[in-house]
Amino acid sequence: MPLSPRMPELASFEVFLAIAETGGLGRAARQLGLTQQAVSRRLAYMEAQAGVALAVRTTRGSQLTPAGRIVAEWAARLLELANEIDAGLGSLRKEGRERVRVAASQTIAEQLMPHWLLSLQDEATRRGGTAPQVILTATNSEHAIASVRDGADDLGFVENPGPPRGLGSCVVGHDELVIVVPPGHKWARRSRPVTAAELAQTPLVSREPHSGIRDSLIAALRQVLGDDMQQAPPVLELTSAAAMRAAVLAGAGPAAMSRLAVADDLAVGRLRAVAIPELDLGRKFRAIWVGGRIPPAGAIRDLLSHITSQTTR
């Protein structure tokens, strides 16, 4: 329940306890670094607000009333707890400046985070400081969003088609999905382009439902084929780029993968990219956090400032 408007504020209890402990307004003022007039006004305001006489001014100082002695005991307990909370909040603020818990989608965790974290450490070393400790969990975009909403993680990195509702976000990179097959696959040898409809009707090696890659491909197909588009069930559902790559190389079927994850395979010809001219397979990587447009101060903002400076170079 809300406090009564007759409840004095914490600063008033602090002044009153100093009067109780020192026995006079002047001595309390010197202890607190205030003027005697300021202490006197604070005591008078507190008594008027509470509706209780707390001290009597005498020629030898200030003497507590019976009610004042009771309130002084309460004030001591209240301020002890307040100091404990103040110290605890200071510890949390320090931790927030030094450590950040991050949940990142598989593609971002595997392909981008190592570079970002190493360059963050290098920059901190050059400046003679210490980089924030980053505790990283690799997951899919849906789970990253849920962990940020729930407070299990401070910061998330996702690859969904659009920004999640109710969270702050910013774009930290760009990517492209590519349809990959082994060199001997029929799509690698045909001269005419594969259509969006063909791709939708073909069982693919796929990530799990609600992963960023899967949702991005569905969004691209629906943009061309309509919202009622029905995609063929996957031939395999796998939870990592490495497993998908191995399945494609083994001949399980085509897959939509991040170009970042298969760049080396494409460069040496282990995999072939299949163009789907109808589809816009570009996508954005986003950082997400709880709050408004500006990331929270501390390790979260420091990390994001560094990442965005890297991606805009």
Side-chain angles (χ1 to χ4, degrees):
M1 60 181 294
L3 292 174
S4 161
R6 307 300 295 272
M7 174 69 176
E9 60 187 25
L10 196 62
S12 295
F13 283 109
E14 191 171 20
V15 168
F16 177 65
L17 186 60
I19 296 171
E21 290 176 343
T22 62
L25 300 183
R27 290 186 288 272
R30 287 191 292 274
Q31 177 178 299
L32 296 172
L34 301 173
T35 65
Q36 183 170 335
Q37 291 80 2
V39 170
S40 178
R41 285 196 300 270
R42 175 67 73 170
L43 175 61
Y45 179 76
M46 182 177 180
E47 290 178 318
Q49 183 180 15
V52 177
L54 301 174
V56 177
R57 287 76 165 172
T58 71
T59 56
R60 292 179 296 176
S62 297
Q63 183 177 350
L64 300 187
T65 66
R69 288 192 290 271
I70 295 173
V71 173
E73 292 180 7
W74 292 343
R77 287 157 48 197
L78 176 63
L79 290 169
E80 181 180 1
L81 180 58
N83 284 324
E84 182 181 335
I85 293 173
D86 189 28
L89 289 172
S91 177
L92 292 175
R93 286 192 297 271
K94 181 179 179 183
E95 180 179 312
R97 291 191 296 270
E98 296 177 349
R99 186 176 73 169
V100 57
R101 299 163 300 173
V102 173
S105 68
Q106 292 280 354
T107 301
I108 298 172
E110 294 172 359
Q111 305 300 324
L112 297 175
M113 287 300 300
H115 167 72
W116 289 342
L117 296 182
L118 284 173
S119 63
L120 179 67
Q121 291 175 356
D122 289 344
E123 181 177 311
T125 300
R126 287 195 304 271
R127 295 181 175 180
T130 302
Q133 179 189 8
V134 177
I135 302 171
L136 175 64
T137 300
T139 182
N140 66 26
S141 293
E142 181 186 39
H143 291 158
I145 293 169
S147 68
V148 171
R149 287 194 198 279
D150 295 343
D153 287 292
D154 306 305
L155 184 64
F157 292 91
V158 297
E159 48 192 280
N160 302 72
R165 293 182 179 178
L167 294 174
S169 68
C170 68
V171 175
V172 294
H174 294 81
D175 185 36
E176 179 188 18
L177 292 184
V178 58
I179 310 303
V180 294
V181 296
H185 192 276
K186 62 181 181 180
W187 283 0
R189 300 191 304 268
R190 64 188 267 179
S191 56
R192 58 186 177 84
V194 175
T195 66
E198 283 182 276
L199 181 65
Q201 294 161 10
T202 300
L204 303 177
V205 176
S206 177
R207 285 289 305 274
E208 72 278 11
H210 305 300
S211 64
I213 286 179
R214 188 158 173 174
D215 285 352
S216 296
L217 179 60
I218 290 172
L221 287 170
R222 285 179 175 169
Q223 191 172 13
V224 174
L225 302 176
D227 291 341
D228 57 350
M229 180 274 307
Q230 295 296 317
Q231 192 176 9
V235 64
L236 286 174
E237 285 186 355
L238 301 170
T239 59
S240 73
M244 291 177 66
R245 173 184 171 276
V248 173
L249 288 170
M257 299 188 67
S258 165
R259 186 174 287 277
L260 292 172
V262 294
D264 291 343
D265 297 291
L266 295 175
V268 300
R270 278 191 299 266
L271 292 174
R272 298 287 178 83
V274 177
I276 316 286
E278 297 170 275
L279 295 182
D280 177 6
L281 295 177
R283 61 192 190 137
K284 297 175 180 177
F285 293 146
R286 290 181 172 85
I288 58 171
W289 59 86
V290 173
R293 293 187 305 106
I294 300 175
I300 294 176
R301 191 179 300 175
D302 293 344
L303 176 59
L304 282 180
S305 296
H306 177 77
I307 289 172
T308 52
S309 70
Q310 294 290 304
T311 57
T312 55
R313 287 180 183 176

